[in-house]
Amino acid sequence: MAESGQFLIDGKPTPFRAGQTIMQAAAEAGHYIPHLCYRPEFPPHGSCKLCSVKANGRFTSACFEPVTEGMKVESETDEIQGYRKRVVQMLFAEGNHYCAFCEKSGNCQLQAVAYHLGMEDTHYAHQYPQRKLDASHPDAMIDHDRCILCELCVRASRDLDRKEVFGVAGRGLQARLVVNSPSGLLGDSNFALTDAAAHVCPVGAILPKRQAFTTPIGMRRYDKHDIGEESSLTPIADKGE
Amino acid sequence: MPQSSSLERVLTRISARYRDEPYQLLQMLRAVQASYSHVPQSAMQFLARHLGVPLSQVQGVVEFYAFLHETPRGRYDVRFSDNITDQMLGSRGLCERLCQHLELTPGQPRADGKVTVDYTSCTGMSDQGPAALVNGLAVTRLDVGRIDEMADLIDAGIALEAWPRDWFAVRDHIRRSGPMLDLQMAPGAALEAAVARGASSTLAELARSGLRGRGGAGYLTAHKWRFCLEAPGMERFIVCNADEGEPGTFKDRVLLTRYADALFEGMALAGFVVGAREGFLYLRGEYEYLLPHLESVLERRREEGLLGGNLLGSRVGFDISIHLGAGAYICGEESALIESLEGKRGQARVRPPFPAIRGYADKPTVVNNVQTFIQAAQISAMGSAWFAEQGTEKSRGTVLLSISGDVARRGVYEYPFGVTVKEVLADCGAGAVQAIQIGGPSGHLIGAADFERRIAFEDLPTTGSLMVFDWSRDVVGVVQNFSRFFQHESCGFCTPCRVGTTVLRQLIDKVASGHASAADLDELEACGMVTRSLSHCGLGQTAPNPVLDGLKRFRPVLEAKLLGGTDGPGFDLDAELSEARKISDESLKEGQHG
């Protein structure tokens, strides 16, 4: 196989190196593909489906699909952007997301990607799940209402922190984030605010305590720019919330 | 709750039986469930510590599989198969009758802890329903008499071993046989032919036959084997997918019963061709009753030198062990099946890499359906020409159909690929057919306009399930049953399937209850397209099929259910206002008193 080559994103010739996924090659070329469960330091997960594209006419996820020479990738077509908006709306309808009084507002990738895709309502009937807040840990809390099951915390804790604090249980709409402690509470686990897992949550599900409004609303990350203007290459450590 | 020291002794014994191997977690949890009628929290904690796996993983597995429970089930655990074909034979009424006799609510154990009655996904007995599982064992041909007697047996505390044997009898119902079912193959014949021919010539013979996987996707078997053979690595595995979970399918059940020798021979053959020494049969939990039979065939084959360390007296070894599922349709997807074999939640992996390159234990792995292995063995013994004689250009050989529903003769039928739906319907005695579901819920719902079509990979592909609905049936009810099935079976990994299957189910329920508007039908279609297009695996990609086919081919039936015809409102004003009215009424009353 050649070391590098060229493929097309929405008709635009884009270089790639052998072994890269569509997401990686697109990010290197400065081309944003919406995503929530993908971060460059982890192997692709493929659960949120926001990075769905058509590759040579077939739907797939940009985060795990390897690029091939001359591949035609459709990303910002009306069809695909429309589907992505529906996926974001599904996430909003499935959990309990109240941006108006969520302390993550402005720093939340779910909210930011919703703005990016021009979402104006949740479209689907709200499911209003009953989920309990876990405030047992002295330095952090889990608001399960906002969890979108991206499993970034699961992967960060397992692969970077070597702790395996988090897991997923249940199935279907009952799938839920669980904590690896006998009581199931974060306070009884060996989770620490210095863990990478404490800083990967793209939404307001895992939050450090006592820092809610250190940056005022209006001066937050996505108050200043659209999420699409960000590089998808930057690892967690350099992003800083 | 068992005493902790006795619990730990039991768990230690269970774990040791599975060599304290974390990959065997699901098998251990099944044993715990059988012993204590649930998996107590303390057992999860013990196993997590004992095996060195996170407690969250053990918890995740227990919550994933429908046959594992965190709270106690009754000592008698009765689950009625809830497939549409069971319902058409009166299963719902029988379940209610049993609940009345036993004075309990479905899904809730009776206060004395003696019995639980519940529903479960299709148990693979559509040809002899209404069916149920009692403590995991299949019970067939239920009727009012059996239900009444069952209630008495349970109340009297009679052990399952003393229940009438006939209730547990599973009939084969082979109605039409062809070259595949008719072939009498002596044990060892396929392997001997392969050894004589050599591994690479055997693979070439398989390629010439044109055999395609019988699990549904129709991938060329020889290609799959070749990918595995050529994948880098020292160790390889063979996996048989006997997780026949597609509602309405039961042909693998018959094959496992009657052709277990040929199946194991096919797996050993695959091992010989790709260089694997170990194979697994992943048997769906609903077929647990087949386990003693399958184990005895394995044991006999070891004695005959057709399995084990000295396959055919050579130094080549190949052996097979059986893993049981625990109630999860998704495990029929090959990568989810491998996760389950590894003792994990059955979630489909990111592909590529495909299992042939990275499968079980991340090693190259061949995963094939029961029928595919049997046919591979037959091809090795009889040659590719024998096999390719029948069928069409693109679909060689014969197809096994599991036919159920409104027909005179339910059972297994073998046809050459290319047979028309019409011919099949005539043979099985189907009259006044309104619709058929071919390939199960993940396949297609078709009406008379499509009965001239041919059953073949290039036209109407099928996993074998063929359910027939006559004009007395409500197509909306059929779509509703399948939509509920998919919602129940969605693993929850990816957004479009996790949420989409719920949205689809809620909307079709709204249609069925007569509260939907034309806009809801449009939304069904739109949501179906999102789910079909974006879902991670075959489950989500096919979950909207019943809804989308219903809209495409039976739209007038759905429209007839709309509130106020095709331009009525999408909501019930009185129902929406009822809560507010209740509150204001109460405050009015309070006002009058005050």
Side-chain angles (χ1 to χ4, degrees):
Chain A
M1 192 197 283
E3 286 296 296
S4 61
Q6 212 176 55
F7 73 116
L8 298 168
I9 303 183
D10 293 324
K12 190 181 162 205
T14 308
F16 76 97
R17 283 177 283 111
Q20 278 187 315
T21 61
I22 296 172
M23 179 71 86
Q24 288 170 330
E28 263 189 26
H31 188 108
Y32 173 70
I33 297 176
H35 57 270
L36 285 170
C37 73
Y38 168 79
R39 285 192 85 136
E41 52 274 78
F42 302 112
H45 191 58
S47 70
C48 76
K49 296 299 169 201
L50 263 185
C51 73
S52 294
V53 293
K54 261 185 179 172
N56 292 335
R58 189 180 60 85
F59 280 104
T60 185
S61 298
C63 70
F64 63 68
E65 188 70 35
V67 184
T68 54
E69 178 63 39
M71 181 187 261
K72 293 187 181 66
V73 175
E74 293 166 54
S75 178
E76 293 190 9
T77 61
D78 289 347
E79 179 192 29
I80 290 163
Q81 292 287 71
Y83 279 167
R84 287 174 182 159
K85 187 158 90 179
R86 286 285 181 257
V87 169
V88 176
Q89 288 166 322
M90 284 179 174
L91 289 170
F92 271 94
E94 165 190 38
N96 296 310
H97 299 274
Y98 301 103
C99 298
F101 54 84
C102 175
E103 61 184 79
K104 186 84 171 193
S105 184
N107 283 331
C108 171
Q109 292 180 29
L110 178 66
Q111 183 191 42
V113 84
Y115 276 124
H116 176 83
L117 293 167
M119 183 183 117
E120 289 168 344
D121 61 13
T122 48
H123 187 77
Y124 297 107
H126 283 270
Q127 300 297 322
Y128 299 121
Q130 304 249 332
R131 299 175 184 167
K132 278 189 185 155
L133 185 100
D134 178 355
S136 59
H137 194 278
D139 300 321
M141 59 171 212
I142 309 179
D143 188 339
H144 289 281
D145 274 346
R146 304 172 186 152
C147 178
I148 56 166
L149 295 167
C150 67
E151 295 189 42
L152 275 168
C153 58
V154 177
R155 290 176 277 160
S157 184
R158 183 188 61 214
D159 301 345
L160 300 180
D161 305 329
R162 308 269 165 215
K163 283 188 176 181
E164 301 191 283
V165 171
F166 300 102
V168 169
R171 104 177 176 196
L173 214 61
Q174 276 70 49
R176 64 201 174 91
L177 185 68
V178 289
V179 172
N180 183 22
S181 71
S183 64
L185 292 172
L186 192 62
D188 294 331
S189 74
N190 58 351
F191 177 82
L193 203 54
T194 47
D195 289 356
H199 305 281
V200 290
C201 184
V203 293
I206 299 178
L207 285 172
K209 286 182 174 174
R210 294 175 299 278
Q211 294 172 28
F213 296 100
T214 43
T215 309
I217 301 272
M219 300 182 63
R220 298 182 170 192
R221 190 156 159 177
Y222 303 116
D223 294 331
K224 298 179 211 154
H225 60 256
D226 185 278
I227 193 170
E229 295 164 30
E230 285 190 343
S231 169
S232 304
L233 296 170
T234 327
I236 304 162
D238 306 332
K239 277 200 169 172
E241 305 286 72
Chain B
M1 184 73 63
Q3 291 289 306
S4 70
S5 59
S6 109
L7 175 72
E8 292 195 1
R9 272 200 306 277
V10 172
L11 292 174
T12 307
R13 213 161 39 233
I14 288 173
S15 179
R17 198 197 309 160
Y18 295 103
R19 306 177 307 282
D20 299 318
E21 167 62 61
Y23 270 17
Q24 303 286 334
L25 177 62
L26 179 57
Q27 305 307 304
M28 295 175 197
L29 292 171
R30 281 189 57 98
V32 176
Q33 172 75 39
S35 306
Y36 298 103
S37 76
H38 73 305
V39 183
Q41 187 69 31
S42 51
M44 290 189 229
Q45 289 174 16
F46 178 88
L47 283 176
R49 266 197 322 274
H50 192 69
L51 302 173
V53 300
L55 176 59
S56 54
Q57 186 189 325
V58 182
Q59 175 101 31
V61 170
V62 171
E63 288 187 23
F64 190 85
Y65 294 93
F67 294 171
L68 301 177
H69 300 271
E70 287 180 274
T71 52
R73 303 284 281 189
R75 287 187 296 284
Y76 295 92
D77 197 0
V78 185
R79 296 166 200 271
F80 282 82
S81 178
D82 203 29
N83 188 25
I84 186 75
T85 52
D86 294 282
Q87 289 183 7
M88 284 156 56
L89 294 164
S91 63
R92 285 262 162 166
L94 293 176
C95 180
E96 281 161 25
R97 188 181 180 98
L98 185 62
C99 288
Q100 274 164 14
H101 280 319
L102 296 169
E103 294 173 3
L104 50 70
T105 322
Q108 311 274 333
R110 200 164 75 178
D112 64 359
K114 193 174 223 173
V115 54
T116 311
V117 177
D118 207 346
Y119 291 104
T120 189
S121 297
C122 181
T123 59
M125 301 288 165
S126 296
D127 56 331
Q128 46 206 303
L133 298 171
V134 181
N135 292 356
L137 297 180
V139 177
T140 59
R141 298 183 305 281
L142 291 169
D143 55 27
V144 170
R146 285 187 175 187
I147 290 297
D148 293 352
E149 199 178 340
M150 189 186 290
D152 293 341
L153 289 167
I154 289 171
D155 266 330
I158 307 293
L160 231 52
E161 292 72 31
W163 287 24
R165 284 299 84 199
D166 188 42
W167 294 11
F168 300 92
V170 178
R171 295 176 187 159
D172 291 340
H173 288 152
I174 294 176
R175 308 289 188 188
R176 188 184 198 275
S177 61
M180 181 197 172
L181 295 176
D182 286 339
L183 185 65
Q184 303 284 326
M185 203 171 64
L191 277 173
E192 277 159 23
V195 170
R197 212 187 266 123
S200 62
S201 302
T202 300
L203 188 57
E205 193 65 26
L206 194 65
R208 265 193 299 278
S209 75
L211 175 65
R212 296 170 68 166
R214 271 19 181 185
Y219 198 76
L220 281 166
T221 306
H223 280 199
K224 204 182 241 189
W225 290 20
R226 187 179 303 282
F227 279 128
C228 180
L229 169 69
E230 290 170 356
M234 298 299 287
E235 222 179 339
R236 277 154 233 285
F237 295 96
I238 307 298
V239 175
C240 174
N241 183 346
D243 191 59
E244 184 176 47
E246 192 68 44
T249 319
F250 46 83
K251 51 118 180 151
D252 288 348
R253 180 199 84 210
V254 176
L255 294 176
L256 289 160
T257 308
R258 297 251 282 222
Y259 300 84
D261 259 293
L263 164 63
F264 295 140
E265 186 134 341
M267 292 175 69
L269 175 79
F272 170 73
V273 169
V274 307
R277 301 173 57 87
E278 202 175 347
F280 303 102
L281 176 73
Y282 188 96
L283 183 67
R284 73 182 304 221
E286 290 81 348
Y287 292 169
E288 187 180 348
Y289 78 97
L290 284 171
L291 194 58
H293 154 68
L294 293 170
E295 291 285 10
S296 77
V297 175
L298 284 177
E299 198 43 50
R300 178 174 46 72
R301 290 183 68 85
R302 285 183 196 112
E303 283 161 16
E304 290 169 352
L306 297 171
L307 270 183
N310 59 341
L311 204 58
L312 291 176
S314 69
R315 271 178 298 170
V316 185
F318 184 82
D319 211 335
I320 294 169
S321 54
I322 300 175
H323 281 238
L324 273 163
Y329 167 73
I330 179 75
C331 292
E333 196 279 342
E334 60 178 8
S335 67
L337 183 146
I338 290 171
E339 289 285 298
S340 184
L341 267 182
E342 294 179 355
K344 301 173 191 157
R345 293 160 62 79
Q347 291 181 337
R349 291 178 175 177
V350 164
R351 298 181 304 171
F354 287 88
I357 311 294
R358 266 179 74 174
Y360 182 76
D362 286 337
K363 304 287 194 308
T365 303
V366 165
V367 186
N368 277 132
N369 169 264
V370 173
Q371 193 186 344
T372 312
F373 280 119
I374 294 173
Q375 300 244 261
Q378 293 184 334
I379 289 163
S380 175
M382 305 296 294
S384 58
W386 168 84
F387 175 81
E389 229 164 56
Q390 302 225 17
T392 70
E393 177 71 30
K394 286 182 178 154
S395 309
R396 295 286 185 201
T398 54
V399 59
L400 291 184
L401 300 175
S402 316
I403 300 182
S404 63
D406 296 316
V407 300
R409 291 170 295 279
R410 300 190 290 263
V412 173
Y413 292 72
E414 179 176 3
Y415 285 100
F417 271 114
V419 66
T420 64
V421 173
K422 202 173 160 185
E423 284 173 72
V424 173
L425 291 176
D427 287 353
C428 63
V433 180
Q434 178 182 194
I436 68 164
Q437 184 76 29
I438 184 159
S442 75
H444 287 288
L445 180 68
I446 62 174
D450 288 305
F451 290 171
E452 296 289 344
R453 288 175 66 183
R454 294 180 182 280
I455 297 172
F457 291 106
E458 63 272 25
D459 190 356
L460 278 174
T462 178
T463 49
S465 166
L466 201 160
M467 292 176 267
V468 179
F469 309 102
D470 69 20
W471 285 97
S472 71
R473 308 296 175 183
D474 178 9
V475 167
V476 177
V478 172
V479 172
Q480 192 180 19
N481 178 281
F482 296 151
S483 298
R484 284 178 182 203
F485 166 76
F486 283 119
Q487 185 206 22
H488 177 68
E489 298 294 347
S490 169
C491 82
F493 174 77
C494 76
T495 318
C497 177
R498 183 176 69 239
V499 186
T501 53
T502 295
V503 171
L504 291 172
R505 184 245 160 109
Q506 290 172 346
L507 285 172
I508 196 71
D509 282 354
K510 195 176 172 188
V511 174
S513 69
H515 290 101
S517 69
D520 290 314
L521 295 191
D522 294 343
E523 184 50 45
L524 268 173
E525 182 156 15
C527 180
M529 288 309 293
V530 177
T531 306
R532 170 187 280 180
S533 305
L534 303 198
S535 287
H536 187 65
C537 77
L539 190 156
Q541 288 159 13
T542 58
N545 284 359
V547 161
L548 294 173
D549 285 342
L551 286 166
K552 186 172 158 190
R553 302 197 175 96
F554 298 91
R555 201 171 179 102
V557 181
L558 277 83
E559 283 175 349
K561 301 246 179 199
L562 298 183
L563 184 69
T566 47
D567 44 26
F571 63 100
D572 178 348
L573 187 63
D574 285 322
E576 298 293 332
L577 289 174
S578 63
E579 202 175 347
R581 280 179 181 151
K582 192 164 159 267
I583 293 166
S584 66
D585 271 3
E586 275 164 16
S587 63
L588 273 176
K589 276 179 208 152
E590 275 170 30
Q592 283 161 4
H593 289 300

